[in-house]
Amino acid sequence: MISKHFFFRIRKTINCKIVFIIHFKLWDVVTIVSGSPKWCDLNPDEGVYNWDEIDRMLEACEKHGLTYGIRIMPYSSYLSEDYVPQWIYDKGAEKNTAPLRDDPSVKTVFPKWDDPVYLQAHKAFTKALAKKYDGDPRVEFIDIRPFGDYGEWHNSFAVGDEKFMPALEIQKDMLDFYNEVFNETTIV
């Protein structure tokens, strides 16, 4: 963790000469902390939610006069880490298999973003997230991350990445859903 005594040095160079140096504390310029909790940690079973990780971050941010941007992560291609709760697969959600872009001899397995079981579970989770945090002044934003690597709406780690994204209608439907359930908190 960076302490509040951590300093940056900013140098302005004019004609290859350093004109001045400014020192400032990190907390003087940082106003938002962004985190990426894993969906599976927050929603370990159907209808069961564990908000402890988010609540701890909100309390820590509030203590330092900061706000928290929440970015729920469903999948990370780094080490092929799937953060979709296991109970969703147990209910029948399917996965994709594709060669890795960096090494096509290796296959990777990742969520099928347009699977109806997956979509319904993600909407149920999002509704619970909104019920808990919509309008909380400590939440700066909710990042809409239901699809793709790190929830970033791409599968660039896989050969044929475009074909694994859900149809545009499904993407628009998910955006509309977030807009429906978050009435006060900014969604990005």
Side-chain angles (χ1 to χ4, degrees):
M1 175 178 235
I2 298 173
S3 78
K4 63 181 178 180
H5 303 292
F6 184 84
F7 288 89
F8 282 103
R9 289 188 178 168
I10 297 178
R11 295 178 179 171
K12 183 174 181 183
T13 305
I14 299 176
N15 296 330
C16 298
K17 294 181 184 178
I18 297 174
V19 176
F20 61 86
I21 298 174
I22 300 173
H23 294 275
F24 58 89
K25 289 184 274 186
L26 182 62
W27 297 122
D28 291 343
V29 295
V30 173
T31 61
I32 301 170
V33 174
S34 180
S36 301
K38 300 171 186 173
W39 181 12
C40 57
D41 292 340
L42 302 174
N43 188 190
D45 207 347
E46 187 172 10
V48 176
Y49 305 101
N50 179 357
W51 306 118
D52 291 348
E53 180 178 350
I54 294 174
D55 289 340
R56 280 192 306 273
M57 285 301 298
L58 288 170
E59 290 165 11
C61 288
E62 184 176 36
K63 180 179 177 183
H64 293 285
L66 305 171
T67 55
Y68 186 49
I70 302 172
R71 307 164 51 206
I72 308 300
M73 194 165 6
Y75 180 81
S76 169
S77 63
Y78 183 71
L79 300 178
S80 296
E81 297 166 326
D82 188 346
Y83 303 134
V84 173
Q86 182 59 45
W87 65 265
I88 296 170
Y89 296 120
D90 293 345
K91 285 190 74 171
E94 297 180 8
K95 296 184 180 190
N96 290 307
T97 302
L100 280 175
R101 181 173 306 283
D102 293 341
D103 184 356
S105 68
V106 176
K107 302 281 187 194
T108 186
V109 179
F110 54 99
K112 189 170 190 286
W113 307 115
D114 59 357
D115 183 281
V117 175
Y118 174 88
L119 292 169
Q120 182 57 41
H122 188 84
K123 285 183 175 182
F125 172 76
T126 301
K127 189 173 184 177
L129 184 71
K131 182 178 179 184
K132 174 79 173 163
Y133 296 108
D134 189 29
D136 187 325
R138 302 171 301 169
V139 176
E140 184 70 26
F141 61 82
I142 301 289
D143 198 341
I144 304 172
R145 291 180 169 254
F147 309 125
D149 197 14
Y150 306 106
E152 294 175 350
W153 299 64
H154 69 84
N155 296 299
S156 60
F157 60 90
V159 172
D161 60 308
E162 293 289 323
K163 73 179 183 179
F164 297 111
M165 285 302 291
L168 191 56
E169 315 77 66
I170 293 173
Q171 294 179 38
K172 287 179 180 178
D173 178 68
M174 189 62 76
L175 290 171
D176 288 342
F177 184 78
Y178 270 79
N179 195 45
E180 276 177 36
V181 298
F182 285 99
N183 298 301
E184 297 177 49
T185 299
T186 300
I187 52 175
V188 296

